[in-house]
Amino acid sequence: MLHYAQEQLQGDYYTRAFQAGAQEDTLILNMGPQHPSTHGVLRIILELHGEYILRAEPVLGYVHRMQEKMGEVKTYPQYLPNMGRVDYLHALAWNWAYVLAVEELLQLEVPERAEYIRVITCELNRITSHLLWWGAYLLDLGAFTPIMYGFADRERAMDLLQIITGSRLTYCYYSFGGVTADLTPQFIDGTKEFCKYLRTRLPMYKDLVTDNMILRHRVDDIGIIPVDMARRYGVTGPNLRGSGVEHDLRRNTPYSIYDRFDFEIPAYEECDALARYLVRMDEMEESLSIIEQAIDSLPEGPVTPPKMPKVIKPPKGEAYGAVEGARGVIGIHVISDGTATPYRIKLRSPSFSNLSLFAEVSEGILLADAVSILGSLDLVIPEIDR
Amino acid sequence: MNIAPELIHIAVALAAIAAFIGLNGLVLVWLERKVAGHIQRRPGPYEVGPWGLLQPVADAVKLVGKQLVRPKVADPWLYWSAPLLSFTPVFLLFLTIPFGPRLIGMEFNLGLLLILAFSGLNVLALCLAGWSSANKYSLLGAARAVAQSIAYEIPLLLAVLAIAFQFGTLNLSTIVHHQGPMPWQWNVMTQPLAFIIYFICAVAETNRAPFDLPEAESELTAGFHTEYSGMAFGLFFLAEYAYIIVISCVATVLFLGGWHGPGAPGFWWFLLKVYALIMVIIWLRWTYPRVRFDQLLNINWKWLLPLALVNLLLTLIFVKM
Amino acid sequence: MKQSWVDELNAAGAPKCTEVQKGVACFCLEPENLLPSVRKILDLEYYLQDVSAADFQEGYLLTYHFAHFEEPGQAVFRVLISHEEPQIPSISSLYQGAIWHEQECNDFYGIVFTDHPDLKPLLLVPEENLYPLRKDTQSQKSFLDIFPGCKLVEAPPAPEGEESSGDQETAGEETPKKKGTGKAKARKGDDETAQEPGQA
């Protein structure tokens, strides 16, 4: 006979809110905050019938750092490093969204070379993000080897980014009006080489993993997100393109110089985890192509604007910087009151919206599929909690 | 008094088997890590000893040194008996396996039956472990383990039965004697389907990837052994490796000619084949994703079981003709 | 945003949006007009980007950002609600993605979303009401000062500090002052696509 203490039966605030007391036939399972497949400290409360999920509710806030409050007490440049820590996998996109918003407020013009450098580094960062997602997703599905391959390749790209940004993960590389450091020949040669190298690796990944029958059975027809659902929840990024919508800010509202490059927006109509998987695999190739084009047409010139104000004091007003991150539309809404600190900064993180549909999409599926869906949404928990 | 030599023989055999399991457990831990490392483009263990050979020893010391923790609400008797129950039957399984022409623990006419019967005990241990841990993940893992083991035991039995029918015996030595030294004289040539079914079922029975659902760590953290620490976990771990060796040994005996081989027959051929099979099992684990639970059962009930039945039927027809 | 859509939205909600800049259309709404407008924008197949709040002298400004899958640009809904009675209808029946955004606003500001399915703390600890983003009266700025385009309908002479009676009827028109003038310089090529419809 098992003896439970009364408080163990009751659970914490969220479990009690989820369901008070015990119930016949169903099992309340806490997945997380420490769980191998929640990639960090996401917690999901599940009501299970056998292995079938009746109800699911994500519980957030375990790495909440109140980034938006920090934005209101720091000056504009002081807040820049925070951006690398919102989404540690695609830090440069967050960098970009923030500097885009502030540049819009300041009406700053970015030198052309800096724009190219931003494109190159941001796309490189996108590749590292997708590579890690690929490995971690396969790890969720029980394949141990791909993450090592993904990491090894990602390591090369991170070494390259380290040359110019000085850091490996939480970059703070873009500055208002440009970038903090120019590209070095070492970086350019290394990136060219990396593009060639990764192009030999991606077909191998396809043979080894993507075409694997077990994988196909685990992702095919799992976690259907129809376009309508995506719209109601505000799903963006590869998850949306997996639902057949060719929505990509790089194409729809081309910020920076993305309209100068020739690249495809991969989209698959199937709306399932496989479609989202394939979108990301294709996107890596597209990013490679963008990088190669940008490096080939890289202009000479300065990487910072000729004259910058000593103190960044944007005029009163607001700006919304939106860029396409590896997980979707990153939006930073800055309201300026004319002082050196922002009046309000709102961070719109794509994972937040992408995860919010989990409760709906996971009804009636198997526990193993829930893991597969979570992985296919490509979540970064610090970005959700901010 | 005339029974004494037999008893002494068994006692010596059991001691030797214990040593064999212990040694092979260490070798397998090392091998698995090293092979996994090379599959994953990394060196694997290399710091402790030459080529990391002492790594399993360090692991074992670590495991032994760790505190044994029992959840407050777990049932102590069942909780602690589960790892023991998982590990101890392993000794009996090796008793009737003919490692060499004369190297056998106990000549026993129902050797195959003994192995099949006692290997079934493992699932009981997993079930107890999952149930008594008072952990929901463990419970789910145990439920999976039971469903999986029971399902896969049937085609496994049917595949083995085909061999037994072919030679009309359950004595493993006799089965080996019926095969010849050359690969084309082995049973795998006459019973390829049975071999494939046996091998798939065996991987599933030992809960190895891609069928490692009872301990699927991305879904159930660690499944039935979530709550176990230290040597209690170590025993599960050791039992898993022991079962891998057992199923490879049985596969070698039944399908790959046992200790027969080109040139001089002997236990080296046996070990070589066993390790070749183990390598394949390790290789599978580090290559494939995990199947889903309903898919796992579908493979069994929709494919393996009918195929095994057909195979058995064909064998019967050929034997009787 | 297409001009025809802007007109449709203007018909749905009482206050008007007259200008669209760089495809961004801004609508200042009253709380009771919010749901009809959101229903309209859902019919126009916009998706919800975010819901955020900000604390001003006049009250809490709620900003709803919508964007379209095919069309460039954004639709921005602004609603001002009073400090004394921070209540607004929830849009989560139309956009389920708003559930979390509204919970977050409730966490940070204590804004109550009526008809919200489950208005419990999302990111902050459930035991305390911290409302970390509320500002004290010294640091509160005037909404009209920052967004001169929007104007209060009632009590026109003294908007500053007046937060007692007239905030519910906040209505305004026009977009914020400078959406994307800086952008326009840096990225000239895109402007035509972005703003073709709305330059009337």
Side-chain angles (χ1 to χ4, degrees):
Chain A
M1 186 59 209
L2 307 176
H3 303 286
Y4 292 96
Q6 195 57 33
E7 63 269 18
Q8 274 174 309
L9 281 174
Q10 282 179 347
D12 71 341
Y13 174 86
Y14 291 101
T15 352
R16 283 199 298 277
F18 187 72
Q19 188 191 71
Q23 243 199 0
E24 296 259 320
D25 283 350
T26 61
L27 182 78
I28 304 291
L29 187 72
N30 253 309
M31 213 166 114
Q34 273 83 38
H35 187 276
S37 68
T38 54
H39 301 273
V41 284
L42 174 65
R43 172 180 168 197
I44 296 171
I45 308 178
L46 301 165
E47 183 176 357
L48 295 177
H49 185 265
E51 288 216 13
Y52 284 93
I53 294 172
L54 299 179
R55 223 152 39 102
E57 183 188 299
V59 176
L60 312 180
Y62 287 91
V63 278
H64 179 56
R65 291 153 293 171
M66 202 70 240
Q67 296 270 18
E68 296 178 7
K69 181 74 186 172
M70 278 192 245
E72 292 179 13
V73 294
K74 292 178 171 199
T75 63
Y76 285 91
Q78 275 176 346
Y79 192 55
L80 259 176
N82 277 50
M83 289 297 101
R85 284 146 182 86
V86 181
D87 173 0
Y88 52 82
L89 289 185
H90 200 186
L92 283 175
W94 278 91
N95 271 239
W96 203 345
Y98 179 55
V99 297
L100 203 64
V102 177
E103 280 158 12
E104 198 179 308
L105 279 173
L106 289 168
Q107 309 199 359
L108 261 182
E109 198 169 338
V110 184
E112 191 153 63
R113 186 175 169 87
E115 294 276 28
Y116 273 89
I117 294 175
R118 284 183 182 181
V119 168
I120 294 167
T121 49
C122 184
E123 293 304 318
L124 203 56
N125 202 191
R126 188 189 311 275
I127 291 172
T128 64
S129 171
H130 281 348
L131 276 175
L132 181 70
W133 160 81
W134 177 74
Y137 186 36
L138 268 295
L139 193 65
D140 285 349
L141 297 178
F144 299 91
T145 302
I147 195 165
M148 294 295 170
Y149 283 37
F151 256 97
D153 292 346
R154 177 171 171 266
E155 205 71 7
R156 291 188 170 219
M158 276 168 36
D159 286 344
L160 287 171
L161 285 171
Q162 191 185 4
I163 297 172
I164 49 166
T165 65
S167 50
R168 295 176 62 78
L169 199 66
T170 51
Y171 308 108
C172 172
Y173 176 56
Y174 303 160
S175 60
F176 304 128
V179 293
T180 49
D182 202 352
L183 298 187
T184 61
Q186 193 192 359
F187 174 85
I188 293 174
D189 296 341
T191 308
K192 280 182 186 161
E193 207 175 295
F194 174 76
C195 291
K196 278 202 206 93
Y197 167 76
L198 200 62
R199 280 188 197 283
T200 63
R201 300 289 291 176
L202 290 176
M204 194 266 273
Y205 293 161
K206 186 175 183 303
D207 289 347
L208 189 67
V209 180
T210 312
D211 291 344
N212 183 302
M213 200 175 80
I214 298 177
L215 175 84
R216 291 275 171 158
H217 279 105
R218 286 301 303 279
V219 293
D220 201 11
D221 224 18
I222 301 298
I224 304 283
I225 304 177
V227 181
D228 172 57
M229 197 204 278
R231 185 175 296 123
R232 285 184 287 114
Y233 283 96
V235 174
T236 47
N239 297 327
L240 177 63
R241 295 192 278 278
S243 298
V245 182
E246 286 189 31
H247 176 70
D248 190 323
L249 283 191
R250 291 176 292 174
R251 177 64 47 84
N252 282 48
T253 39
Y255 54 97
S256 183
I257 46 164
Y258 272 109
D259 49 344
R260 298 188 196 170
F261 302 112
D262 175 31
F263 62 101
E264 299 282 319
I265 305 292
Y268 288 81
E269 299 285 341
E270 288 81 9
C271 308
D272 56 0
L274 177 64
R276 301 193 276 279
Y277 177 98
L278 294 174
V279 164
R280 293 198 180 89
M281 298 311 274
D282 290 358
E283 255 179 34
M284 280 197 265
E285 293 189 26
E286 295 305 324
S287 290
L288 284 179
S289 134
I290 295 175
I291 293 173
E292 282 169 343
Q293 291 173 41
I295 285 189
D296 287 342
S297 52
L298 184 68
E300 290 299 318
V303 294
T304 44
K307 60 174 197 307
M308 277 288 289
K310 282 256 166 18
V311 182
I312 306 275
K313 258 192 187 178
K316 287 174 189 170
E318 61 154 7
Y320 196 91
V323 301
E324 183 74 28
R327 270 151 283 281
V329 173
I330 296 169
I332 297 187
H333 185 207
V334 185
I335 300 178
S336 161
D337 59 353
T339 58
T341 53
Y343 188 71
R344 172 84 169 97
I345 284 194
K346 162 74 186 173
L347 310 178
R348 189 261 181 210
S349 73
S351 293
F352 187 82
S353 299
N354 293 352
L355 178 63
S356 63
L357 58 66
F358 182 73
E360 186 171 332
V361 90
S362 64
E363 261 172 45
I365 56 164
L366 278 168
L367 181 62
D369 284 345
V371 171
S372 174
I373 293 172
L374 273 182
S376 78
L377 291 176
D378 189 11
L379 306 168
V380 171
I381 311 301
E383 186 190 48
I384 296 172
D385 288 352
R386 288 159 295 151
Chain B
M1 278 318 274
N2 51 355
I3 212 164
E6 187 81 345
L7 271 181
I8 291 169
H9 185 92
I10 290 177
V12 170
L14 280 175
I17 286 164
F20 178 76
I21 295 173
L23 188 70
N24 269 288
L26 291 181
V27 171
L28 271 186
V29 170
W30 179 82
L31 193 71
E32 172 120 48
R33 286 173 159 228
K34 210 69 182 168
V35 171
H38 284 293
I39 286 177
Q40 298 178 345
R41 299 204 304 172
R42 57 190 175 86
Y46 62 91
E47 282 285 347
V48 192
W51 307 291
L53 272 171
L54 294 179
Q55 183 69 44
V57 180
D59 281 355
V61 170
K62 179 204 71 174
L63 275 179
V64 172
K66 271 189 166 176
Q67 187 190 1
L68 291 172
V69 183
R70 177 177 65 85
K72 204 167 119 195
V73 289
D75 187 310
W77 283 97
L78 294 182
Y79 184 79
W80 293 126
S81 60
L84 294 173
L85 193 60
S86 173
F87 185 63
T88 30
V90 171
F91 291 100
L92 290 172
L93 305 183
F94 285 95
L95 209 55
T96 56
I97 289 173
F99 290 94
R102 298 188 49 77
L103 199 61
I104 179 165
M106 187 173 71
E107 197 68 55
F108 187 43
N109 272 341
L110 297 174
L112 193 54
L113 193 66
L114 183 111
I115 290 175
L116 294 172
F118 279 102
S119 65
L121 271 178
N122 190 37
V123 64
L124 187 63
L126 303 195
C127 181
L128 275 186
W131 174 249
S132 65
S133 297
N135 179 313
K136 290 168 182 173
Y137 289 111
S138 304
L139 188 63
L140 285 171
R144 283 182 175 192
V146 172
Q148 180 175 341
S149 296
I150 289 174
Y152 275 83
E153 223 150 69
I154 299 166
L156 185 118
L157 274 172
L158 292 176
V160 170
L161 217 54
I163 299 287
F165 277 11
Q166 195 181 341
F167 300 109
T169 178
L170 289 170
N171 188 324
L172 293 172
S173 298
T174 319
I175 292 173
V176 175
H177 276 294
H178 276 103
Q179 304 176 62
M182 289 302 160
W184 54 89
Q185 294 167 312
W186 297 346
N187 282 340
V188 68
M189 288 298 147
T190 52
Q191 295 273 12
L193 188 60
F195 177 68
I196 292 167
I197 292 171
Y198 173 86
F199 192 70
I200 294 173
C201 293
V203 173
E205 281 285 299
T206 49
N207 301 331
R208 290 282 295 189
F211 305 116
D212 57 342
L213 286 124
E215 46 193 296
E217 90 289 317
S218 58
E219 294 149 33
L220 304 180
T221 52
F224 62 88
H225 61 68
T226 306
E227 295 288 356
Y228 285 92
S229 64
M231 213 44 216
F233 163 73
L235 284 182
F236 280 121
F237 194 63
L238 210 54
E240 184 186 312
Y241 280 120
Y243 277 103
I244 293 170
I245 302 170
V246 169
I247 57 136
S248 304
C249 286
V250 173
T252 309
V253 167
L254 294 182
F255 298 100
L256 299 179
W259 35 261
H260 282 301
F267 68 90
W268 45 86
W269 275 114
F270 189 87
L271 284 183
L272 197 70
K273 292 171 194 169
V274 167
Y275 265 88
L277 281 176
I278 289 173
M279 286 291 278
V280 173
I281 293 173
I282 293 176
W283 180 23
L284 283 179
R285 170 169 180 189
W286 297 103
T287 308
Y288 286 122
R290 185 182 303 118
V291 297
R292 205 172 62 203
F293 197 67
D294 56 331
Q295 292 166 353
L296 175 93
L297 294 182
N298 277 345
I299 298 169
N300 179 63
W301 298 113
K302 288 188 181 164
W303 291 98
L304 293 180
L305 187 61
L307 279 176
L309 278 171
V310 168
N311 186 57
L312 191 63
L313 209 63
L314 288 177
T315 313
L316 276 178
I317 292 166
F318 275 104
V319 167
K320 285 291 161 194
M321 271 198 311
Chain C
M1 195 175 192
K2 286 178 186 160
Q3 187 61 46
S4 57
W5 292 359
V6 174
D7 296 340
E8 278 182 53
L9 273 165
N10 280 335
K16 303 282 176 276
C17 165
T18 49
E19 204 181 349
V20 184
Q21 286 195 13
K22 268 203 61 89
V24 179
C26 176
F27 302 85
C28 294
L29 301 174
E30 292 170 47
E32 55 266 31
N33 287 328
L34 178 65
L35 274 177
S37 307
V38 170
R39 190 167 292 125
K40 190 73 220 165
I41 203 140
L42 179 62
D43 290 343
L44 294 175
E45 301 198 328
Y46 270 71
Y47 72 91
L48 178 76
Q49 278 191 319
D50 60 45
V51 179
S52 67
D55 193 356
F56 288 101
Q57 269 171 6
E58 293 86 350
Y60 297 116
L61 175 75
L62 278 153
T63 314
Y64 298 76
H65 284 108
F66 297 92
H68 199 270
F69 287 153
E70 279 98 39
E71 290 291 314
Q74 268 182 323
V76 186
F77 287 0
R78 287 185 207 290
V79 188
L80 196 66
I81 55 175
S82 72
H83 282 127
E84 289 75 37
E85 207 186 341
Q87 271 198 0
I88 190 162
S90 165
I91 63 163
S92 54
S93 56
L94 299 164
Y95 283 98
Q96 283 76 19
I99 295 178
W100 284 9
H101 288 291
E102 291 178 345
Q103 272 177 276
E104 192 187 300
C105 290
N106 180 260
D107 267 7
F108 293 170
Y109 292 97
I111 296 169
V112 177
F113 293 86
T114 51
D115 303 326
H116 188 282
D118 192 11
L119 199 62
K120 62 169 184 277
L122 183 74
L123 295 174
L124 302 182
V125 282
E127 286 78 20
E128 300 165 68
N129 290 331
L130 295 168
Y131 306 138
L133 288 184
R134 281 186 178 176
K135 289 180 188 284
D136 50 22
T137 23
Q138 282 91 32
S139 48
Q140 274 173 356
K141 295 278 163 49
S142 168
F143 160 68
L144 292 177
D145 192 27
I146 292 175
F147 301 103
C150 299
K151 54 179 178 284
L152 295 175
V153 173
E154 278 210 356
E160 256 86 37
E162 280 274 330
E163 41 188 59
S164 47
S165 62
D167 344 54
Q168 287 277 340
E169 292 84 355
T170 308
E173 24 198 84
E174 226 225 302
T175 48
K177 214 177 108 209
K178 54 182 147 14
K179 240 332 181 174
T181 25
K183 235 188 214 169
K185 271 184 217 159
R187 283 159 242 111
K188 256 209 169 69
D190 337 335
D191 288 11
E192 306 84 61
T193 51
Q195 54 185 196
E196 32 88 52
Q199 285 305 298

